[in-house]
């Protein structure tokens, strides 16, 4: 928990001499829960469902309000495409200009309500070196996962081994939780989603 | 030995009594333990999915019942509903937020409802939507048998509906014959939402070419399917795979299920 954070801070310190807002952007775990009443009609943050983070904290999606989010669904024991999707997201993260990187969230939501406990997600975070600052990992109840997948247009099915066959899509939410762009597929270039992100941050 | 037998008998009795008592939910029937054989499977999918006994609404939800729901839950009224939860045609045929009007009779099945709205209705009633396996298992029953798939007359009747021109005016619920479980109108009136409608297709599947992703395409799909004669089931799979959760359709409604 501590070392990736320190590494990240070091990385930030080394890579950039300009003044950055890193210190002001609290990681999702520590931000106050935003008021629920005034989300837009298209906002995914309207969902009432309660999710658990890898830090074992209960949150609603509204907690992510305030910066654009790059979202994908996955499961930690996935041997096939999820690692690629996460790599795609990491490539986007790495390719972002500094000011955008500190102002973009990366959200992974598990299909696997049974096996992806907070502890399992925590292991996954460490294994994939996902920074606390930018990345949120959530698990939820099967019904809520089904509902969120429906909103993201993700199709999935649990097979006899307890694994999940699923469609691959990376979704860009704006700071209000509205879907502004979706990129289906794997191993995709980061350019398009980054240019969308740029248009979001400079309206 | 006899003690054990006695114990077993008591447990069995308790189970039976419990089932009977709980099955006393009004307007629902008990669909008993069974096995659903999916029409399409990937290599890793189970051949058979066991369906645990559950309760199912006898009839699809009507306009009258849905009106009660939106009255009690204003956020599901036509003018209030959020865009992500229902498209712009939601309850299109009603005269107003709380008025059915002449195009929506109280006893007709409610249609033009999204998956989100159906799910919310079910929750409001302390119920849920049936799963694909549950719905297909219940709907496979003919009037006389739990498995009507080999009943030629029953299959012809279903096919007739799938190929018939739709009547000008949507019929009211409850006119269809009771099937083996006592449920009506699973075929012949409307299409119905299920809880896991978004598991019914995979295009651009995670595992690439595992068989899952050729499952829904006409022709090629039929080769891998379990029962190539079950044309109505193909149609249902195809229809479900075309849906998104906020969609509303003129002949798509729902009924609820409940755990025993």
């Amino acid at each position: 928990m501590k070392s990736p954070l320190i590494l990240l801070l070091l990385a930030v310190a080394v890579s950039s001499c300009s003044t950055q807002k890193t210190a002001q952007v609290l990681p999702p775990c520590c931000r106050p829960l935003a008021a629920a009443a005034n989300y837009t009609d298209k906002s995914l943050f309207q969902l009432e469902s309660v999710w658990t983070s890898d830090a074992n904290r209960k949150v609603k999606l509204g907690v992510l309000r305030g910066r654009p989010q790059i979202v994908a669904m996955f499961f930690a024991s996935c041997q096939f495409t999820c690692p690629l999707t996460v790599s795609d997201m990491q490539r986007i993260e790495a390719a972002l200009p500094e000011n955008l990187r500190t102002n973009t969230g990366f959200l992974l939501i598990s299909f696997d309500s049974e096996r992806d406990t907070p502890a399992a997600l925590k292991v996954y975070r460490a294994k994939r070196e996902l920074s606390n600052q930018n990345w949120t990992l959530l698990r939820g109840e099967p019904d809520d996962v089904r509902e969120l997948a429906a909103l993201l247009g993700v199709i999935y099915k649990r097979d006899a081994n307890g694994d999940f066959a699923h469609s691959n899509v990376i979704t860009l939410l704006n700071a209000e939780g509205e879907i502004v762009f979706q990129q289906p597929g794997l191993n995709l270039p980061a350019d398009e989603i980054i240019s969308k992100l740029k248009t979001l941050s400079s309206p | 030995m006899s003690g054990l037998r006695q114990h077993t008998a008591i447990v069995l009795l308790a189970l039976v009594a419990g089932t009977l008592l709980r099955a006393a939910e009004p307007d629902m029937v008990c669909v008993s333990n069974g096995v659903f054989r999916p029409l399409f499977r990937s290599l890793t999918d189970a051949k058979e999915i066991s369906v645990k006994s559950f309760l199912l609404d006898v009839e699809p939800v009507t306009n009258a019942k849905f009106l009660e729901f939106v009255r009690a839950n204003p956020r599901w009224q036509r003018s209030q509903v959020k865009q992500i939860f229902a498209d712009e045609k939601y309850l299109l045929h009603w005269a107003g937020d709380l008025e059915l009007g002449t195009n929506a009779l109280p006893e007709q099945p409610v249609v033009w409802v999204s998956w989100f709205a159906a799910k919310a209705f079910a929750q409001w009633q302390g119920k849920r939507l049936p799963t694909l396996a549950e719905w297909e298992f219940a709907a496979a029953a003919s009037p006389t048998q739990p498995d009507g798939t080999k009943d030629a007359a029953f299959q012809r009747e279903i096919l007739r509906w799938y190929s018939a021109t739709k009547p000008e005016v949507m019929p009211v619920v409850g006119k269809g014959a009771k099937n083996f479980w006592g449920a009506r109108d699973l075929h012949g009136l409307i299409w119905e939402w299920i809880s896991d409608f978004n598991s019914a297709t995979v295009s651009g599947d995670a595992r690439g070419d595992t068989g899952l992703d050729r499952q829904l395409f006409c022709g090629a799909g039929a080769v891998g399917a379990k029962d190539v004669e079950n044309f109505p089931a193909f149609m249902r799979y195809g229809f479900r795979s075309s849906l998104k959760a906020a969609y509303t359709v003129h002949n798509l409604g729902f009924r609820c299920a409940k755990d025993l």
Side-chain angles (χ1 to χ4, degrees), chain A residues 58-116:
Chain A
K58 301 248 185 280
V59 294
K60 290 186 186 178
L61 293 186
V63 77
L64 300 167
R65 189 182 211 176
R67 37 176 204 176
Q69 299 285 328
I70 292 174
V71 188
M73 297 185 76
F74 84 118
F75 62 108
S77 49
C78 178
Q79 303 292 316
F80 299 91
T81 62
C82 313
L84 295 175
T85 300
V86 173
S87 298
D88 278 354
M89 290 168 72
Q90 285 178 312
R91 264 190 298 129
I92 295 169
E93 186 185 27
L96 284 174
E98 176 65 31
N99 64 331
L100 274 186
R101 194 179 318 137
T102 52
N103 196 30
T104 304
F106 293 79
L107 171 62
L108 290 173
I109 296 152
S110 173
F111 294 112
D112 197 342
S113 305
E114 206 172 293
R115 293 179 299 187
D116 282 348

Side-chain angles (χ1 to χ4, degrees), chain A residues 153-166:
Chain A
V154 171
I155 290 157
Y156 70 98
K157 187 162 143 189
R158 191 167 183 264
D159 71 20
N161 304 329
D163 291 333
F164 293 80
H166 57 93

Side-chain angles (χ1 to χ4, degrees), chain B residues 18-199:
Chain B
T19 309
L20 287 176
L21 279 177
R22 274 172 301 191
E25 179 87 26
D27 308 321
M28 294 190 99
V29 290
C30 180
V31 179
S32 299
N33 281 327
V35 169
F36 165 65
R37 294 177 187 84
L39 186 62
F40 297 103
R41 290 190 297 114
S42 73
L43 298 173
T44 49
D45 278 346
K47 271 191 194 135
E48 300 184 334
I49 297 172
S50 69
V51 176
K52 272 193 278 177
S53 299
F54 67 102
L55 297 176
L56 185 67
D57 283 354
V58 173
E59 293 163 358
V61 172
T62 60
N63 283 319
K65 287 225 183 84
F66 204 79
L67 180 60
E68 281 176 42
F69 164 67
V70 300
R71 196 168 270 144
N73 299 275
R75 71 195 193 94
W76 289 103
Q77 290 169 14
R78 202 169 65 184
S79 65
Q80 308 279 314
V81 76
K82 304 286 187 196
Q83 268 181 50
I84 57 163
F85 297 131
D87 68 20
E88 70 284 357
K89 299 203 193 83
Y90 177 65
L91 297 176
L92 170 88
H93 58 319
W94 285 20
D97 269 355
L98 296 172
E99 222 182 310
L100 297 183
T102 47
N103 292 326
L105 304 176
E107 291 312 310
Q108 284 171 338
V110 68
V111 289
W112 296 112
V113 284
S114 66
W115 177 82
F116 295 108
K119 187 168 172 266
F121 176 97
Q123 278 170 354
W124 175 66
Q125 291 214 317
K127 300 178 185 177
R128 59 179 174 79
L129 294 178
T131 64
L132 183 148
E134 287 171 342
W135 196 97
E136 288 288 336
F137 178 71
S142 73
T144 54
Q145 300 166 42
D147 181 1
T149 49
K150 296 286 172 266
D151 180 337
F154 174 62
Q155 291 302 323
R156 264 199 308 279
E157 182 58 24
I158 296 176
L159 264 178
R160 200 187 50 73
W161 176 65
Y162 278 74
S163 56
T165 349
K166 296 294 162 270
E168 284 283 302
V169 178
M170 171 82 72
V172 298
V173 303
K175 299 293 182 199
K178 277 194 173 178
N179 79 1
F180 180 83
W181 307 113
R184 295 180 195 273
D185 302 324
L186 284 157
H187 307 279
L189 193 56
I190 51 167
W191 303 88
E192 297 184 12
W193 281 112
I194 50 173
S195 62
D196 49 350
F197 80 98
N198 55 348
S199 69

